[in-house]
Every structure is written in structure tokens, then in C-alpha cells.
Amino acid sequence: MTVTSRTPLQSDLEQLPHLLQLALQESQDFLQALPEQAAHPGLSIPTPEPLSETGLGAEAALSRFIQRYRHTLSGSAGARYLGFVVGGSTPAALMGDWLVGAYDQNLSNETTGATAVEREALGWLRTLFGLSDAHKGSFVSGATMSNFVGLAIGRQWVAHQKGINAALEGLQGLNVQILSGAAHSSVFKAASMLGIGRKQIRQVALLPDREAVDISALETALQQMKGEPCIVVANSGTVNTVDFDDLNLIVALKERYNFFLHVDAAFGGFAACSPRHQHLVDGLNDADSITIDAHKWLNVPYDSAMQFTRHQFLQAEVFQNAGAAYLGTVTENPDFNHLTPENSRRFRALPAWMTLAAYGKQGYQEIIERNVESARNLGEKLGKTTPFELLAPVRLNVVCFTLKNASSMQDIQAFLHLLHQTGEVFMTPTVYQGRAAIRAAFSNWRTQDEDVERVFQALVQTAEKQNH
């Protein structure tokens, strides 16, 4: 009689409760060490190994990962990771994300209640951002994909204005112009992917010493369109200085000029959560499409963002799965698989639903206001310290500054290299008004006053070390 040995997969199924407990323990170990973990690790990447012929089994695979790669992971979930604009994961969001993997739902159509969770979460987010029910939304993978979807809808709108259905007929003869003051790099990427072309983005003059568009210059650019439809991309929170275009004045221009208004509010849109700052996004409700990120200030795990639009019928024209009966037909309330580039969509809405349900409006108001105060606190300290120079007012949650003696990006990079070696903080370089600079972005729910003080001391000590 032949005895068939169990495969690693069969053994792991029998040991699944034990394996999940191991994952829980590793998660706890990582998160408990996070307050003192290096914000930016000194990387020592192991040499790739060949794939196992028979498989290690899940427990051995976890051990191998911890041994070989755990030390290379950053503290990006922690309080002093100020690079890019990265939130962490609130406890409720993390809990939701664990369940996403366990539930493993297919959100392509209405065959699961997971789609109802997504619609409810989107309704809560509309309330949070002060949007009306006219704005329909969906979850996508990040702000880049949200901008892509918004500009795809805008492209279809421009095409309709010219009597063309670009989704059916293609782009032959269709010229789409995009006007923007300080468009994010993802807008250029989206223009490239959509066949609009990066060169079709016209940069409109900014206000002096600002990243906000000059409304007079925008009106001049619209006049030069001579009635041709176009897309205007406005900013609610630029990456360097969190500057805001005046949405009310831009919306007023729609009475005289023919354009589709897309607002990139990836993280600045969260100003709506705070009575202190919500004036910055006045007019957001009048946008034709909106980008808002979730793995920034909503503090849910990567990868997650939302897109909203007043023109869901155009969105469905672009993204519908025509001719695939098993995916359903486009109705007045389309399934999500007719609204985004992805047919295969993970249950991204659950972490958002969980954290919104857990902490509500007041919870997010507190996070936003505390992060803004942290940024202002650091900005005030740096403004009074000899080695540093603020390059712009701290308008919301980003501090844009430089070293007074820095003459090039090389000097900034050298400083950041020394700073990151301390493990205390991680920041990213930028260029602002022609000057090499540094950005410190506060968007993590964990960050407290004591973290700001540690960051400041690390900056000062690094500057002293560099000067000596």
C-alpha cells in the first residue's frame, strides 16, 4: 500500500489557527517595537535565493522572511516617518485589513454584501468632505489611479462636447488640453496613460511666492481656448507647501468658460474635517471630479484612495465591460466593475469603513488638527534656529524648509543621509522655487508633541555634525 505524504499546503490547512497566531504575534512584535524602530533602516538587502522545489510550509516561510527581510523594513507606520505624505494604520483600519485577506471577497458586482459596505463607506466619506449625494464614488488603489479615473471622465466629457464618444471611437482628432497651476506628477502620468499626452498640460502662472494658481492668469488661458472645451486641474493641497487654489473663484469661471473641473485633493481634502481649516476647501462640492487619498490622512493601509464625480454616466462609458455578460450590464447604478480600471478589486472599503465607524467625525477632526499643530510646532522651532530656513508658511501639515548654507541638492542629500542614519526621522528632499529643500509631512495618527521634539533635536544635532 502506497502512503502519500502530506503536502505543505495540506499541513498548513490543518495548522491554520496556529499559523494565524504566529502572524498575530509577529504583528504585535513589530508594532510594539515601532516607537523606537528606525524610521529609515540602514538597508542590507540579502542576495536572492532560488525558489524551493517542495515548499517550506507557512511557518518556516514566515521565519525565513523575518530572518532575511524584517530588518530592512522602515518605520513608515510610525510617528516620526515624515517622508512623502504617509499615514499609518489606525487600530480599527488594521483590524479591517486583516479581515480583508480572510474574507477575500470579489467586489466586481453585487454578488456580495461587500459592495454595500463600500457604498456605505463612500456615503460616510461624502459627509466627511461636505459633498452632496450628486457625487458618486468608488475605491481605487491610490491618488495616482484616482487622478487617472478623474481625468478619464474629463477626457470623455471633452469628447462629448465635440460630438465624439472617445470610449467608443478612440482619440483620433481629439485634442484635450489640461490647464493647471502646480499639477502633481501623477497628473502627468495619467495624461500619458490616457493618450492625452504630457505636453498637453499647460502650466498656468502661480500667485507670487505661492503654489496656488493665479486666477487672472487662468482666465486668460481659458480665453485663449476660444470656447474649446478643456480640463482644469485644481489643487487642494500641493505636496511642497499644502497650498490651495481658490475653488470658489475657479467655479465662478465656469459660468463664462467651457471646462471640466477636476480637483486633486489627495490629502488636503481632509481639511474639511476641521472647522478650523474647512474654509480651505470651500467650493469642493462644485467640482466635476475629485481625488482623495485614503492611505494618507484617513490612516488606512496601502493601497487605498477614493474618487468622486458628478458624471458617473460618463465614468461608466469609459470603464464599462462591454460584451461580458457574466459581469453584468451597465445600469443607472452601475456595479463597481463598470466604474474603475480594475475588474479584480480587493475589499479596500473595509479598513475605511472600520476606522470611520470606530472613530467618527470627531476622531478624524482630532487627528487632522493634532497633525497640523505638530507641523506648525516644528515650523516655529525651525524658523528660530540658525541652520534652517522656512521656505513657506506652514499652511496645514507640511513643513517646507532648507539649510541656509545649502547650495545644491547634493548638500541636502548629504544632510538627509546623516539624518536618516540616526533612525529618529525620515524626510524627503524637494525643490521649491528653484531651491533644494526638505519636506516634513505630518499625517500619522500616532504623532504627538514628544515626537516633534525628537525630530527637532535630530535635525539640530545632524546640522551640527554636518558643519563639523
Side-chain angles (χ1 to χ4, degrees), residues 127-196:
T127 300
L128 208 62
F129 299 124
L131 304 178
S132 71
D133 290 345
H135 280 97
K136 307 299 182 184
S138 63
F139 278 83
V140 290
S141 60
T144 296
M145 192 53 65
S146 183
N147 276 330
F148 176 86
V149 172
L151 292 178
I153 299 167
R155 184 190 65 180
Q156 188 73 350
W157 180 89
V158 170
H160 272 271
Q161 300 298 302
K162 298 184 175 186
I164 302 169
N165 185 336
L168 285 177
E169 302 167 30
L171 303 181
Q172 294 182 1
L174 180 63
N175 179 36
V176 180
Q177 293 279 318
I178 298 175
L179 308 178
S180 186
H184 186 263
S185 61
S186 62
V187 172
F188 289 85
K189 180 184 282 191
S192 173
M193 292 190 292
L194 288 164
I196 294 173

Side-chain angles (χ1 to χ4, degrees), residues 6-17:
R6 292 183 304 169
T7 66
L9 184 59
Q10 291 169 326
S11 297
D12 284 349
L13 178 58
E14 295 174 4
Q15 295 294 316
L16 185 57

Side-chain angles (χ1 to χ4, degrees), residues 1 7 49 70 74 157 181 193 254 270 280 282 295 324 341 344 380 385 396 408 419 421 430 435 466:
M1 179 178 178
T7 66
E49 294 182 341
R70 165 79 176 275
S74 74
W157 180 89
M193 292 190 292
K254 292 183 67 123
F270 282 88
L280 294 168
D282 283 350
H295 55 243
S344 301
E380 184 177 347
T385 309
L396 204 65
S408 67
L419 179 68
Q421 284 183 330
T430 190
R435 296 187 64 181
Q466 188 180 43

Side-chain angles (χ1 to χ4, degrees), residues 13-334:
L13 178 58
E14 295 174 4
Q15 295 294 316
L16 185 57
H18 171 64
L19 296 174
L20 293 179
Q21 190 62 41
L22 290 175
L24 171 62
Q25 187 61 56
E26 167 58 14
S27 300
Q28 289 176 331
D29 291 346
F30 181 85
L31 294 173
Q32 286 174 359
L34 193 58
E36 298 305 322
Q37 181 173 332
H40 181 71
L43 295 184
S44 176
I45 305 299
T47 303
E49 294 182 341
L51 177 65
S52 169
E53 289 290 336
T54 59
L56 304 174
E59 184 169 356
L62 177 61
S63 296
R64 184 72 61 88
F65 173 82
I66 293 172
Q67 175 191 4
R68 300 185 68 231
Y69 289 106
R70 165 79 176 275
H71 68 282
T72 70
L73 302 182
S74 74
S76 57
R80 289 171 284 106
Y81 189 94
L82 308 182
F84 311 104
V85 186
V86 179
S89 295
T90 65
L94 177 58
M95 184 168 60
D97 202 60
W98 282 349
L99 292 173
V100 168
Y103 294 154
D104 198 20
Q105 297 292 287
N106 175 3
L107 267 75
S108 294
N109 50 43
E110 304 292 340
T111 59
T112 169
T115 56
V117 173
E118 181 159 353
R119 295 189 195 282
E120 186 167 67
L122 289 164
W124 291 348
L125 288 161
R126 272 197 300 270
T127 300
L128 208 62
F129 299 124
L131 304 178
S132 71
D133 290 345
H135 280 97
K136 307 299 182 184
S138 63
F139 278 83
V140 290
S141 60
T144 296
M145 192 53 65
S146 183
N147 276 330
F148 176 86
V149 172
L151 292 178
I153 299 167
R155 184 190 65 180
Q156 188 73 350
W157 180 89
V158 170
H160 272 271
Q161 300 298 302
K162 298 184 175 186
I164 302 169
N165 185 336
L168 285 177
E169 302 167 30
L171 303 181
Q172 294 182 1
L174 180 63
N175 179 36
V176 180
Q177 293 279 318
I178 298 175
L179 308 178
S180 186
H184 186 263
S185 61
S186 62
V187 172
F188 289 85
K189 180 184 282 191
S192 173
M193 292 190 292
L194 288 164
I196 294 173
R198 290 184 172 94
K199 288 187 175 180
Q200 295 297 87
I201 301 176
R202 291 177 53 190
Q203 183 171 357
V204 182
L206 304 175
L207 294 171
D209 299 320
R210 295 279 302 276
E211 288 185 304
V213 71
D214 184 322
I215 298 300
S216 297
L218 178 59
E219 182 164 15
T220 298
L222 289 167
Q223 289 172 345
Q224 292 170 351
M225 293 299 299
K226 297 180 179 179
E228 285 290 302
C230 66
I231 300 171
V232 170
V233 175
N235 287 303
S236 282
T238 56
V239 295
N240 282 331
T241 66
V242 202
D243 214 342
F244 289 76
D245 291 335
D246 191 322
L247 297 181
N248 283 327
L249 292 181
I250 296 175
V251 169
L253 292 175
K254 292 183 67 123
E255 297 177 4
R256 301 190 296 278
Y257 304 100
N258 193 23
F259 65 90
F260 179 98
L261 176 58
H262 174 72
V263 178
D264 185 348
F267 63 96
F270 282 88
C273 300
S274 167
R276 300 179 192 174
H277 309 298
Q278 61 189 192
H279 65 279
L280 294 168
V281 290
D282 283 350
L284 184 65
N285 187 52
D286 294 308
D288 293 296
S289 64
I290 303 167
T291 285
I292 299 179
D293 218 332
H295 55 243
K296 291 184 171 65
W297 238 342
L298 193 62
N299 277 256
V300 302
Y302 270 106
D303 55 359
S304 185
M306 297 79 65
Q307 61 78 212
F308 294 95
T309 184
R310 290 177 169 274
H311 305 279
Q312 194 176 70
F313 67 97
L314 293 178
Q315 184 175 357
E317 283 185 356
V318 175
F319 295 108
Q320 65 179 287
N321 287 278
Y326 72 98
L327 293 176
T329 57
V330 179
T331 63
E332 187 175 334
N333 189 28

